Amino acid sequence: DDRLFVVGQDGYILIMPDSGQLLSRPFLDIHTQVDFSGEKGLLGLAFAPDYATSGFFYTHYVAPFGAGRSIVSRWHVSADPDSADAASEQIIYQLDQPYVNHNGGDLDFGPDGMLYIGFGDGGSGGDPDAHAQNLTDPLGDMLRIDVGDPDTTYTVPPDNPYVSANNDTLPEIFASGLRNPYRFGFDRLTGDLWIG
C-alpha cells in the first residue's frame, strides 16, 4: 500500500503515510525488550508475502541478555491496520551473541516464499572464534527457513544446501562465511540475493 514502515533501532516501528508526516502512534513499540546500544537494537522487519490476508510480519531484534540475544519473532497486525497486536509475539528463533557487535539483523522473504535471516559472525575483531567458518552454529551465516505454517515456529526447506549433511551441520544454513549481513535484499527482476 502507500504506507512506509520505518524501523527504529530503539525498538519502534513507525508509519509514514503518503502525506509524509509520521503517525504519532507507533505501529509497534518494543523499546523495553530491545538493547539498542552500539550495533544492537531492532534491526529488521519483513512482512509475510501473504500479509494482506494473514496479517503476519517478522522482526529481528537484540534483547538485553549477556552480550545480547538475537530474537526473530512473528507478530500479527491488530484490527487497526496501523497498529500491531503487541501481545501476539511468537519467538521463532533465538541466538545468544558472544560479543556486542556484528549482529547482522536483517531478514527478508525471498521470491521462493522462504524467510532469509542474516546473522553476523558474533563480533569482536577478526572473528576470533571462527564462527563464520563453523557450520554447527548460525553465526556468520544466512539462514533460510519456511514459516508458512502459523501453527509451527518453522520448518527447514528440503532443498537447503546442508539438509543432508553429516555431523552437527545446521540444516537451516543457506550460506556461510559471512562477516556481518546487516542489510540484504532480492533483485526484483532476477531474484539474486545481494548482501551488504
Side-chain angles (χ1 to χ4, degrees), residues 82-147:
D82 289 335
S83 181
D85 178 353
S88 67
E89 182 178 22
Q90 179 187 15
I91 295 173
I92 62 170
Y93 200 92
Q94 57 185 319
L95 168 67
D96 288 339
Q97 294 285 344
Y99 301 102
V100 296
N101 61 331
H102 289 186
N103 298 271
D106 205 0
L107 71 169
D108 199 359
F109 283 92
D112 55 6
M114 300 298 114
L115 182 62
Y116 291 73
I117 306 166
F119 285 110
D121 61 11
S124 190
D127 191 12
D129 302 321
H131 289 293
Q133 305 304 316
N134 182 350
L135 296 176
T136 66
D137 76 46
L139 292 168
D141 298 322
M142 179 74 65
L143 304 189
R144 176 179 180 257
I145 59 176
D146 185 348
V147 293

Side-chain angles (χ1 to χ4, degrees), residues 22-56:
L22 287 171
L23 299 183
S24 59
R25 184 185 54 173
F27 175 70
L28 181 67
D29 171 5
I30 57 169
H31 78 276
T32 60
Q33 298 170 233
V34 173
D35 178 353
F36 54 94
S37 61
E39 297 178 11
K40 298 180 280 188
L42 175 55
L43 303 175
L45 167 67
F47 291 91
D50 65 347
Y51 177 77
T53 54
S54 73
F56 289 123

